[in-house]
Amino acid sequence: MLKHSDIMSTVDMIDHQHLDIRTITMGISLFDCADPDPAACARKIYDKICHLAENLVPTGCAIERELGIPIVNKRISVTPIALVAGACETDDFVPFAKALDRAAKTCGVDFIGGFSALVHKGMTSGDRRLLAAIPQALAETDVVCSSVNVATTKAGINMDAVREMGSIVKKTAELTRDRDGLGCAKLVVFCNAVEDNPFMAGAMHGVGEAECVLNVGVSGPGVVYHALQSVKGAPLDIVAETVKKTAFRITRMGQLVAQEASRRLNVPFGVVDLSLAPTPAVGDSVARILEEMGLETCGTHGTTAALALLNDAVKKGGLMASGSVGGLSGAFIPVSEDEGMIAAAQAGVLSLDKLEAMTCVCSVGLDMIAVPGDTSAETISAIIADEAAIGMVNCKTTAVRLIPAPGKRVGDHVEFGGLLGAAPVMAVHPESPAVFVSRGGRIPAPMQSLKN
């Protein structure tokens, strides 16, 4: 039975500690929209999304009002378009991105994900056409997000795809030069991409998913930060226990919202993703949690250990709260979206190399990092390869979302606005990896892949 103190504590978390539901994401299968005629395929995509998601935003807003729980984003994810449009008799996949954009705007959602391809072991004709369309598609749409899976623990790393993605990221930045390369903020390159991720830019509706499903992403770095203030100076096992209990409460709230939205929309409930997703708002930062554990500045020695504790405790607490935990679930470290990360980078303490080390123990990878506009495509590809190797060997999801900001140098700033925030331009190593990247081929799967 709920106690009055529990209710008031939750109200305080919402009012003063930035607790929210970060997203309700409806996943929609588009397999039955396939058609050799590209115009017919695009029309079917638009019609199906609008039919299934027409009540998503009104329902989310109603739940928000009735329960008093902020729901920051309403989103849609779809079957990777490379699979849906592969049979179309066209070389131009940009119209499919525009159909997604129109459908998302008609439904009123914040983002739609799934302009995606799965190329971890090789590329089909549809994959190649989708990859070729990514820069123009992201430049000519507003809310479409794209993702490409270039590696898995089971298959290894497709270095041909990695090499191509470096050029695609560069071209996307150039085509959105007037917005500081904003298109790249909607493009993520994965290793071990998951099928039920509700967070953008990597959300897609996986091939093993149902016809339509609701996934919820919770957040709450501010709540964890506040909870740790009550255990100042305590041993780290007490810190971990405090994070676990806090994650439990956050996840229970997410489960409540997910089940209620599922019931009202008559759509099966999928998963709760219990990731700690920061925002640029002061008091809603993962970096500040790490500093509350005792680090002078995020990025100094000890940061990776503190993040490992946080990530593990969040997962353990969330698993106790819900039998349907999925997505990425853990701690995110997007630089531009976390005011503590921004401050640490500006102070010169947090470097790209340290961020790479941190990705070994967090939920995703190198996320929302601005680098100089003259960074070569080969260097971007090499960064992607490094991050994919971490994910492949450690059997975890990793990703890269880099913004080579056109015309910007180290120390300059880029501004994206909203949840995407702003970021200082960070340095990359000047030495060239071009010969390594140009070899292509495939980095073989590690021994960890042989589990049968």
Side-chain angles (χ1 to χ4, degrees), residues 159 382 385-386 432-440 443:
M159 287 299 293
D386 283 343
S432 175
V435 174
F436 172 75
V437 170
S438 66
R439 286 176 176 265
I443 294 179

Side-chain angles (χ1 to χ4, degrees), residues 5 29 31 77 99 127 165 186 189 203 210 240 275 325 335 358 367 433:
S5 59
S29 172
F31 278 121
S77 64
D127 294 328
M165 287 311 302
K186 301 184 292 176
V189 186
S275 297
V325 171
V335 174
M358 292 164 67
D367 197 16

Side-chain angles (χ1 to χ4, degrees), residues 223-377:
V223 180
V224 175
Y225 173 79
H226 181 82
L228 292 185
Q229 291 180 318
S230 66
V231 292
K232 286 183 181 291
L236 290 174
D237 52 336
I238 302 300
V239 171
E241 189 66 22
T242 302
V243 174
K244 279 168 54 181
K245 291 178 179 177
T246 306
F248 177 89
R249 295 166 67 191
I250 294 170
T251 306
R252 293 296 283 179
M253 186 187 74
Q255 177 97 350
L256 169 66
V257 170
Q259 290 176 336
E260 185 62 19
S262 172
R263 182 184 66 80
R264 296 188 186 194
L265 290 167
N266 194 30
V267 172
F269 161 48
V271 302
V272 175
D273 186 320
L274 48 95
S275 297
L276 293 183
T279 72
V282 174
D284 201 26
S285 162
V286 169
R288 298 304 185 195
I289 295 173
L290 304 180
E291 291 169 359
E292 182 62 27
M293 291 184 191
L295 304 173
E296 182 176 351
T297 304
C298 176
T300 191
H301 304 298
T303 298
T304 305
L307 182 58
L309 182 156
L310 174 65
N311 206 59
D312 180 68
V314 165
K315 290 177 184 291
K316 288 175 178 174
L319 285 170
M320 288 293 292
S322 173
S324 300
V325 171
L328 299 167
S329 290
F332 288 4
I333 51 171
V335 174
S336 79
E337 299 173 11
D338 186 311
E339 62 86 16
M341 296 283 178
I342 295 169
Q346 289 174 327
V349 179
L350 187 63
S351 67
L352 193 60
D353 288 341
K354 185 60 177 180
L355 282 163
E356 183 180 296
M358 292 164 67
T359 65
C360 297
V361 298
C362 77
S363 285
V364 195
L366 297 171
D367 197 16
M368 287 302 292
I369 298 170
V371 297
D374 61 359
T375 303
S376 70

Side-chain angles (χ1 to χ4, degrees), residues 94-110:
V94 174
F96 302 118
K98 292 183 176 180
L100 294 177
D101 201 52
R102 290 195 306 273
K105 290 174 179 176
T106 299
C107 295
V109 297
D110 301 282

Side-chain angles (χ1 to χ4, degrees), residues 150-163:
V150 298
T152 66
T153 298
K154 202 74 176 172
I157 305 174
N158 182 350
M159 287 299 293
D160 293 324
V162 168
R163 179 178 57 197

Side-chain angles (χ1 to χ4, degrees), residues 4-298:
H4 180 267
S5 59
D6 294 330
I7 296 172
M8 295 310 297
S9 174
T10 301
V11 170
D12 186 60
M13 290 192 301
I14 293 170
D15 287 346
H16 303 294
Q17 299 167 30
H18 300 281
L19 177 62
D20 57 48
I21 299 297
R22 186 54 48 85
T23 179
I24 294 178
T25 301
M26 178 179 282
I28 299 173
S29 172
L30 298 181
F31 278 121
D32 57 354
C33 297
D35 194 297
D37 179 354
C41 183
R43 184 175 65 251
K44 289 178 181 179
I45 288 171
Y46 175 86
D47 290 344
K48 185 168 186 180
I49 292 170
C50 291
H51 170 66
L52 291 176
E54 62 178 341
N55 293 319
L56 176 61
V57 172
T59 299
C61 291
I63 294 172
E64 189 174 12
R65 288 192 303 270
E66 293 171 29
L67 299 184
I69 299 172
I71 301 173
V72 179
N73 286 287
K74 294 82 178 175
R75 298 165 171 168
I76 296 169
S77 64
V78 300
T79 308
I81 292 297
L83 301 176
V84 179
C88 287
E89 296 170 352
T90 178
D91 289 330
D92 183 10
F93 275 24
V94 174
F96 302 118
K98 292 183 176 180
L100 294 177
D101 201 52
R102 290 195 306 273
K105 290 174 179 176
T106 299
C107 295
V109 297
D110 301 282
F111 287 106
I112 184 166
F115 195 72
S116 306
L118 309 174
V119 297
H120 40 275
K121 203 171 181 181
M123 292 193 209
T124 65
S125 170
D127 294 328
R128 294 185 186 281
R129 286 176 284 166
L130 184 128
L131 264 60
I134 286 174
Q136 186 180 348
L138 296 182
E140 297 183 8
T141 59
D142 297 314
V143 296
V144 171
C145 293
S146 179
S147 61
V148 179
N149 193 67
V150 298
T152 66
T153 298
K154 202 74 176 172
I157 305 174
N158 182 350
M159 287 299 293
D160 293 324
V162 168
R163 179 178 57 197
E164 190 164 344
M165 287 311 302
S167 298
I168 289 170
V169 170
K170 284 283 288 184
K171 187 174 181 181
T172 302
E174 281 300 320
L175 290 180
T176 53
R177 167 183 282 272
D178 59 329
R179 290 163 282 169
D180 282 340
L182 177 64
C184 296
K186 301 184 292 176
L187 171 60
V188 58
V189 186
F190 273 114
C191 171
N192 290 324
V194 298
E195 296 190 323
D196 55 5
N197 168 24
F199 286 98
M200 299 295 170
M204 65 171 180
H205 190 67
V207 297
E209 293 288 309
E211 181 74 10
C212 187
V213 69
L214 273 178
N215 298 317
V216 169
V218 298
S219 190
V223 180
V224 175
Y225 173 79
H226 181 82
L228 292 185
Q229 291 180 318
S230 66
V231 292
K232 286 183 181 291
L236 290 174
D237 52 336
I238 302 300
V239 171
E241 189 66 22
T242 302
V243 174
K244 279 168 54 181
K245 291 178 179 177
T246 306
F248 177 89
R249 295 166 67 191
I250 294 170
T251 306
R252 293 296 283 179
M253 186 187 74
Q255 177 97 350
L256 169 66
V257 170
Q259 290 176 336
E260 185 62 19
S262 172
R263 182 184 66 80
R264 296 188 186 194
L265 290 167
N266 194 30
V267 172
F269 161 48
V271 302
V272 175
D273 186 320
L274 48 95
S275 297
L276 293 183
T279 72
V282 174
D284 201 26
S285 162
V286 169
R288 298 304 185 195
I289 295 173
L290 304 180
E291 291 169 359
E292 182 62 27
M293 291 184 191
L295 304 173
E296 182 176 351
T297 304
C298 176

